[in-house]
Short mmCIF file of all heavy atoms in Angstrom, two decimals:
data_model
loop_
_atom_site.label_atom_id
_atom_site.label_comp_id
_atom_site.label_asym_id
_atom_site.label_seq_id
_atom_site.Cartn_x
_atom_site.Cartn_y
_atom_site.Cartn_z
N ARG S 247 -140.59 75.85 -34.67
CA ARG S 247 -141.30 76.32 -33.49
C ARG S 247 -142.60 77.02 -33.87
O ARG S 247 -142.68 77.70 -34.89
CB ARG S 247 -140.41 77.27 -32.69
CG ARG S 247 -139.09 76.65 -32.26
CD ARG S 247 -139.30 75.53 -31.24
NE ARG S 247 -138.06 74.80 -30.97
CZ ARG S 247 -137.93 73.88 -30.02
NH1 ARG S 247 -138.97 73.60 -29.25
NH2 ARG S 247 -136.79 73.25 -29.85
N VAL S 248 -143.60 76.84 -33.03
CA VAL S 248 -144.90 77.47 -33.27
C VAL S 248 -145.09 78.62 -32.30
O VAL S 248 -144.42 78.70 -31.26
CB VAL S 248 -146.05 76.45 -33.13
CG1 VAL S 248 -145.93 75.38 -34.21
CG2 VAL S 248 -146.05 75.80 -31.75
N LYS S 249 -146.05 79.51 -32.63
CA LYS S 249 -146.35 80.66 -31.79
C LYS S 249 -147.81 80.62 -31.36
O LYS S 249 -148.66 80.09 -32.07
CB LYS S 249 -146.07 81.95 -32.56
CG LYS S 249 -144.66 82.11 -33.06
CD LYS S 249 -144.53 83.38 -33.89
CE LYS S 249 -143.12 83.54 -34.45
NZ LYS S 249 -143.01 84.75 -35.32
N ALA S 250 -148.08 81.19 -30.23
CA ALA S 250 -149.46 81.29 -29.77
C ALA S 250 -150.28 82.05 -30.82
O ALA S 250 -149.85 83.09 -31.33
CB ALA S 250 -149.52 82.01 -28.43
N GLY S 251 -151.42 81.50 -31.16
CA GLY S 251 -152.28 82.13 -32.16
C GLY S 251 -152.08 81.62 -33.57
O GLY S 251 -152.87 81.94 -34.46
N ASP S 252 -151.00 80.84 -33.81
CA ASP S 252 -150.82 80.25 -35.13
C ASP S 252 -152.04 79.38 -35.47
O ASP S 252 -152.50 78.59 -34.63
CB ASP S 252 -149.56 79.37 -35.18
CG ASP S 252 -148.29 80.17 -35.35
OD1 ASP S 252 -148.38 81.37 -35.66
OD2 ASP S 252 -147.19 79.59 -35.17
N ALA S 253 -152.53 79.52 -36.68
CA ALA S 253 -153.66 78.72 -37.14
C ALA S 253 -153.23 77.93 -38.36
O ALA S 253 -152.51 78.44 -39.23
CB ALA S 253 -154.86 79.61 -37.48
N GLY S 254 -153.64 76.69 -38.40
CA GLY S 254 -153.22 75.86 -39.53
C GLY S 254 -154.18 74.73 -39.80
O GLY S 254 -155.24 74.62 -39.17
N VAL S 255 -153.77 73.88 -40.74
CA VAL S 255 -154.56 72.73 -41.14
C VAL S 255 -153.61 71.55 -41.32
O VAL S 255 -152.53 71.70 -41.90
CB VAL S 255 -155.32 72.99 -42.45
CG1 VAL S 255 -156.07 71.73 -42.90
CG2 VAL S 255 -156.29 74.15 -42.29
N VAL S 256 -154.01 70.39 -40.81
CA VAL S 256 -153.25 69.17 -41.05
C VAL S 256 -154.12 68.24 -41.89
O VAL S 256 -155.30 68.04 -41.59
CB VAL S 256 -152.81 68.49 -39.73
CG1 VAL S 256 -153.98 68.24 -38.80
CG2 VAL S 256 -152.07 67.20 -40.02
N GLU S 257 -153.55 67.72 -42.96
CA GLU S 257 -154.26 66.79 -43.84
C GLU S 257 -153.95 65.37 -43.37
O GLU S 257 -152.85 64.86 -43.57
CB GLU S 257 -153.81 66.98 -45.29
CG GLU S 257 -154.53 66.07 -46.26
CD GLU S 257 -154.03 66.23 -47.69
OE1 GLU S 257 -153.37 67.26 -47.98
OE2 GLU S 257 -154.28 65.34 -48.51
N LEU S 258 -154.91 64.75 -42.72
CA LEU S 258 -154.74 63.40 -42.19
C LEU S 258 -155.00 62.40 -43.30
O LEU S 258 -156.13 62.26 -43.78
CB LEU S 258 -155.69 63.18 -41.01
CG LEU S 258 -155.51 64.16 -39.84
CD1 LEU S 258 -156.64 64.01 -38.86
CD2 LEU S 258 -154.17 63.92 -39.16
N ARG S 259 -153.96 61.70 -43.71
CA ARG S 259 -154.07 60.77 -44.83
C ARG S 259 -153.12 59.60 -44.62
O ARG S 259 -152.16 59.72 -43.86
CB ARG S 259 -153.73 61.48 -46.14
CG ARG S 259 -152.28 61.96 -46.21
CD ARG S 259 -152.06 62.92 -47.37
NE ARG S 259 -150.65 63.25 -47.53
CZ ARG S 259 -150.20 64.32 -48.18
NH1 ARG S 259 -151.06 65.18 -48.70
NH2 ARG S 259 -148.91 64.54 -48.31
N PRO S 260 -153.40 58.49 -45.28
CA PRO S 260 -152.46 57.37 -45.16
C PRO S 260 -151.09 57.74 -45.71
O PRO S 260 -150.97 58.46 -46.70
CB PRO S 260 -153.12 56.27 -46.02
CG PRO S 260 -154.55 56.66 -46.11
CD PRO S 260 -154.57 58.16 -46.10
N THR S 261 -150.04 57.28 -45.03
CA THR S 261 -148.67 57.45 -45.50
C THR S 261 -148.09 56.09 -45.84
O THR S 261 -148.62 55.07 -45.42
CB THR S 261 -147.81 58.11 -44.41
OG1 THR S 261 -147.69 57.19 -43.31
CG2 THR S 261 -148.40 59.41 -43.91
N PRO S 262 -147.00 56.04 -46.60
CA PRO S 262 -146.40 54.74 -46.90
C PRO S 262 -146.08 53.93 -45.65
O PRO S 262 -146.31 52.73 -45.60
CB PRO S 262 -145.12 55.12 -47.67
CG PRO S 262 -145.46 56.42 -48.32
CD PRO S 262 -146.33 57.15 -47.33
N GLN S 263 -145.58 54.60 -44.60
CA GLN S 263 -145.24 53.87 -43.39
C GLN S 263 -146.48 53.35 -42.69
O GLN S 263 -146.50 52.23 -42.18
CB GLN S 263 -144.45 54.77 -42.44
CG GLN S 263 -144.01 54.05 -41.16
CD GLN S 263 -143.12 54.90 -40.29
OE1 GLN S 263 -142.59 55.91 -40.73
NE2 GLN S 263 -142.96 54.52 -39.04
N SER S 264 -147.57 54.15 -42.68
CA SER S 264 -148.77 53.72 -41.98
C SER S 264 -149.42 52.53 -42.64
O SER S 264 -150.20 51.80 -42.02
CB SER S 264 -149.77 54.87 -41.88
OG SER S 264 -150.36 55.16 -43.15
N GLN S 265 -149.15 52.31 -43.93
CA GLN S 265 -149.74 51.19 -44.65
C GLN S 265 -148.75 50.06 -44.91
O GLN S 265 -149.04 49.14 -45.67
CB GLN S 265 -150.30 51.69 -45.99
CG GLN S 265 -151.38 52.76 -45.84
CD GLN S 265 -151.93 53.19 -47.17
OE1 GLN S 265 -152.89 52.64 -47.67
NE2 GLN S 265 -151.30 54.19 -47.76
N ALA S 266 -147.58 50.14 -44.27
CA ALA S 266 -146.52 49.18 -44.58
C ALA S 266 -146.85 47.77 -44.11
O ALA S 266 -146.46 46.80 -44.75
CB ALA S 266 -145.20 49.64 -43.97
N PHE S 267 -147.54 47.64 -42.99
CA PHE S 267 -147.77 46.33 -42.41
C PHE S 267 -149.04 45.71 -42.99
O PHE S 267 -150.06 45.57 -42.32
CB PHE S 267 -147.84 46.44 -40.88
CG PHE S 267 -146.53 46.78 -40.25
CD1 PHE S 267 -146.05 48.08 -40.27
CD2 PHE S 267 -145.74 45.79 -39.67
CE1 PHE S 267 -144.82 48.39 -39.70
CE2 PHE S 267 -144.52 46.10 -39.10
CZ PHE S 267 -144.06 47.40 -39.12
N ARG S 268 -148.97 45.35 -44.25
CA ARG S 268 -150.09 44.74 -44.94
C ARG S 268 -149.61 43.52 -45.71
O ARG S 268 -148.44 43.45 -46.11
CB ARG S 268 -150.77 45.73 -45.89
CG ARG S 268 -149.87 46.23 -47.01
CD ARG S 268 -150.67 46.96 -48.08
NE ARG S 268 -151.34 48.13 -47.52
CZ ARG S 268 -152.41 48.67 -48.09
NH1 ARG S 268 -152.92 48.15 -49.18
NH2 ARG S 268 -152.97 49.74 -47.56
N PRO S 269 -150.47 42.53 -45.91
CA PRO S 269 -150.04 41.31 -46.59
C PRO S 269 -149.79 41.54 -48.08
O PRO S 269 -150.53 42.25 -48.74
CB PRO S 269 -151.22 40.35 -46.37
CG PRO S 269 -152.39 41.24 -46.12
CD PRO S 269 -151.86 42.46 -45.44
N GLU S 270 -148.72 40.94 -48.58
CA GLU S 270 -148.42 40.95 -50.01
C GLU S 270 -147.92 39.56 -50.39
O GLU S 270 -147.02 39.03 -49.72
CB GLU S 270 -147.33 41.98 -50.34
CG GLU S 270 -147.72 43.42 -50.07
CD GLU S 270 -146.58 44.37 -50.39
OE1 GLU S 270 -145.80 44.07 -51.32
OE2 GLU S 270 -146.44 45.38 -49.69
N PRO S 271 -148.47 38.96 -51.42
CA PRO S 271 -147.98 37.63 -51.82
C PRO S 271 -146.56 37.71 -52.35
O PRO S 271 -146.29 38.36 -53.36
CB PRO S 271 -148.97 37.21 -52.91
CG PRO S 271 -149.57 38.49 -53.40
CD PRO S 271 -149.57 39.43 -52.26
N ILE S 272 -145.64 37.07 -51.67
CA ILE S 272 -144.23 37.04 -52.04
C ILE S 272 -143.76 35.60 -51.94
O ILE S 272 -144.03 34.92 -50.94
CB ILE S 272 -143.39 37.94 -51.11
CG1 ILE S 272 -143.81 39.41 -51.29
CG2 ILE S 272 -141.90 37.78 -51.38
CD1 ILE S 272 -143.16 40.35 -50.29
#
Side-chain angles (χ1 to χ4, degrees):
R247 302 293 171 172
V248 295
K249 301 176 182 177
D252 280 347
V255 176
V256 54
E257 181 182 343
L258 301 170
R259 64 193 187 200
T261 66
Q263 183 175 344
S264 72
Q265 300 182 90
F267 291 78
R268 62 168 62 203
E270 296 179 32
I272 295 173

